[in-house]
Amino acid sequence: MSHPSQVQLTADGRLKHFLTTEDLSRELLTEILDTADSFISTQERSVKKVPLLRGKTVVNLFFENSTRTRSTFELAAKRLSADILNLDIARSATSKGETLMDTLWNLEAMYSDMFVVRHADSGAAHFIAEQVTPNVAIINAGDGRHAHPTQAMLDMLTIRRHKQQIEGQIVAIVGDILHSRVARSQIHALKTLGAAEVRVIGPATLLPRDIDSLGAKAFYRMEDGLKDCDVVIMLRLQKERMQNALLPSESEFFKLYGLTEQKLALAKPDAIVMHPGPINRGVEIESAVADGSQSVILNQVSYGIAVRMAVMAMAMSGQQGGEDNL
Amino acid sequence: MSLPDIDHLLATLEQQLNHYLQHHGISNPLLIGIRTGGVWIAEELQRRLSLSGDMGVLDISFYRDDFTRKGLHPQVKGSQLPDSIEDRDIILIDDVIKSGRTIRAAMNELFDYGRPARIALVTLLDVGQRELPVQPDVCAHSMALASKQVIKLSGPEPLLLTVS
């Protein structure tokens, strides 16, 4: 199997699929953010739709449940004027014994133009991108522990809009880094876009051993890792990690790694607080911080639609560029 | 090919637009320039006509009818319009009209912001080759352009017309 960074680009280096932030150029990541910025203004109008994907069919192919991510992709597609089909694969075709390839071929036979894929296995979106016909675009909506590139890009957009630039920022990512596809995609994007320092903070059981090779710096105590940060990104804690003894109890985790006003005071006074949602209040973050003046959590949700619109439009167009000679 | 003098074109456009506004009894027009050349012309006309109030900027990238063939413009900058265009007399401005497709896209976009009272079209140049039934209400100069020729306005300081 070829590397995702090769599969997701056209011969002239434009976005064909969106599978990972890894190895994408700074120019391309910036172009995604710039395009998303423009879509934010269309979302503030009374008519929120633009006609870019009119007549196109987008299939939300979710092998793993996620109401929030699926909803934002659905809204993004609808606001690009596409027709959208939501398939809860876990409860439908494959549970009746149909293979993944049969499912894909059937969807292609329905003249689908784009698949938004979420799957519990790392590399699933990449695999599908290699199998589909060339005119079908694949957007990775989260695969195993590997990548969640649109979430990472909406986080980049949030940082850029609230801190003016990503370059030079000190960013801390807190929580279960080991199992987080979001964190991996964030680290790649932050490094490419010029963050001064990317820190990961969590218990040793939840920090990957190869974190240095990703370009992030590990901290085991919030009190050390939060010092002088510009951005604090809290990750959602998956409670099954606790049942599998990778973590102490919820209250113990909150005591050590929960974000409180007191701990946030260690970061810079104008630091912003982010969280991909849904929030476990009192486990990852206390309500006073989640609802406080430094929180940009709800802005992330709004930007998520704009980023997904940008990625879908760019992937669908094949990005040939155009002359203003009309 | 020799091109007309830009200062002369702008003076003609100012005079004709002024006449158009008076003839139609428009006292509070909203000038909206289409990126990029149209915005420069609109800024110039706003200044020359001493119009107060906001001016609008329209980026039609999300409304182009050739999106699936040519893709998204790599540098979409977005539109900036006043809070409401409802019942406003809009003067839509572009540097060059050719096929008419840009103007169609611009009008589609405008109607997603509201329902204006009227839209008048102002262009610096008309180079023919229309593919849609769209004509400017005010145009400083009409000229014939060979099918493969492209005329471009660069600017904003100085504004310069070139043909290639």
Side-chain angles (χ1 to χ4, degrees), chain A residues 97-271:
Chain A
E98 187 175 71
T99 67
L100 170 63
M101 287 317 301
D102 279 328
T103 304
L104 287 176
W105 287 328
N106 272 280
L107 291 168
E108 282 189 357
M110 296 176 200
Y111 302 103
S112 303
D113 298 290
M114 176 181 288
F115 297 150
V116 178
V117 180
R118 188 179 185 103
H119 202 289
D121 293 340
S122 302
H126 177 199
F127 172 77
I128 291 171
E130 289 204 312
Q131 306 304 318
V132 292
T133 52
N135 59 327
V136 175
I138 305 298
I139 309 291
N140 185 2
D143 63 329
R145 295 184 188 184
H146 172 240
H148 195 353
T150 58
Q151 176 68 43
M153 290 311 291
L154 79 87
D155 293 333
M156 297 307 109
L157 185 64
T158 307
I159 296 170
R160 199 175 76 163
R161 286 183 71 91
H162 289 273
K163 308 298 289 182
Q164 282 67 56
Q165 57 180 17
I166 293 166
E167 204 166 25
Q169 306 293 329
I170 300 175
V171 181
I173 307 170
V174 184
D176 181 359
I177 313 294
L178 182 66
H179 301 96
S180 175
R181 52 196 173 205
V182 178
R184 292 180 66 84
S185 291
Q186 285 167 339
I187 293 168
H188 288 305
L190 284 165
K191 297 303 290 182
T192 305
L193 291 167
E197 194 176 321
V198 183
R199 301 174 181 176
V200 291
I201 309 173
T205 50
L206 293 182
L207 292 186
R209 286 183 187 159
D210 65 342
I211 198 70
D212 291 348
S213 67
L214 289 177
K217 198 171 169 186
F219 289 85
Y220 302 98
R221 284 165 33 92
M222 290 282 268
E223 290 72 12
D224 300 330
L226 288 180
K227 268 184 197 162
D228 300 324
C229 276
D230 298 289
V231 178
V232 183
I233 304 176
M234 302 303 295
L235 297 177
R236 192 174 71 83
L237 197 65
Q238 292 172 29
K239 297 191 178 181
E240 61 270 24
R241 312 277 181 243
M242 293 189 180
Q243 288 157 3
N244 293 338
L246 286 172
L247 281 172
S249 66
E250 286 186 8
S251 59
E252 184 74 3
F253 181 84
F254 180 68
K255 191 175 159 193
L256 295 171
Y257 298 102
L259 190 62
T260 60
E261 285 183 310
Q262 196 181 9
K263 286 182 197 150
L264 181 58
L266 296 166
K268 285 186 184 159
D270 61 348

Side-chain angles (χ1 to χ4, degrees), chain A residues 285-298:
Chain A
I285 191 165
E286 71 176 5
S287 285
V289 175
D291 305 330
S293 61
Q294 288 170 265
S295 168
V296 294
I297 294 170
L298 289 177

Side-chain angles (χ1 to χ4, degrees), chain B residues 43-108:
Chain B
E43 284 168 346
E44 186 66 27
L45 289 172
Q46 179 98 352
R47 188 182 62 77
R48 285 174 182 243
L49 295 172
S50 304
L51 294 173
S52 56
D54 292 338
M55 203 199 87
V57 171
L58 208 57
D59 188 320
I60 56 126
S61 300
F62 295 149
Y63 287 77
R64 293 175 69 105
D65 65 4
D66 57 357
F67 163 72
T68 51
R69 282 189 285 169
K70 288 188 165 179
L72 202 56
H73 195 288
Q75 275 112 32
V76 181
K77 293 198 173 94
S79 299
Q80 288 136 31
L81 294 182
D83 285 343
S84 174
I85 63 163
E86 204 71 21
D87 292 326
R88 293 292 305 268
D89 290 308
I90 289 174
I91 310 298
L92 185 62
I93 300 165
D94 205 359
D95 49 356
V96 178
I97 182 166
K98 190 179 175 190
S99 69
R101 290 174 189 271
T102 294
I103 307 304
R104 180 218 187 206
M107 286 195 288
N108 283 350

Side-chain angles (χ1 to χ4, degrees), chain A residues 38 45 319-321 324 326, chain B residues 63-64 70 72 76 102 113:
Chain A
S38 300
R45 306 184 322 207
Q319 286 290 290
Q320 298 301 307
D324 287 332
L326 300 179
Chain B
Y63 287 77
R64 293 175 69 105
K70 288 188 165 179
L72 202 56
V76 181
T102 294
Y113 280 87

Side-chain angles (χ1 to χ4, degrees), chain B residues 99-154:
Chain B
S99 69
R101 290 174 189 271
T102 294
I103 307 304
R104 180 218 187 206
M107 286 195 288
N108 283 350
E109 181 166 2
L110 280 176
F111 274 87
D112 280 350
Y113 280 87
R115 184 180 183 275
R118 168 205 319 256
I119 301 174
L121 177 61
V122 172
T123 66
L124 194 67
L125 291 175
D126 180 351
V127 295
Q129 302 175 10
R130 206 80 78 244
E131 293 166 7
L132 298 176
V134 179
Q135 312 301 333
D137 297 287
V138 173
C139 177
H141 185 75
S142 296
M143 58 192 288
L145 204 62
S147 63
K148 299 221 168 157
Q149 282 185 312
V150 176
I151 200 156
K152 279 213 140 195
L153 180 70
S154 56

Side-chain angles (χ1 to χ4, degrees), chain A residues 8 15 17-21 24 32 138-140 149-150 153 311:
Chain A
Q8 67 184 348
L15 204 63
H17 307 291
F18 192 41
L19 308 175
T20 174
T21 54
L24 285 184
I32 293 172
I138 305 298
I139 309 291
N140 185 2
T150 58
M153 290 311 291
V311 169

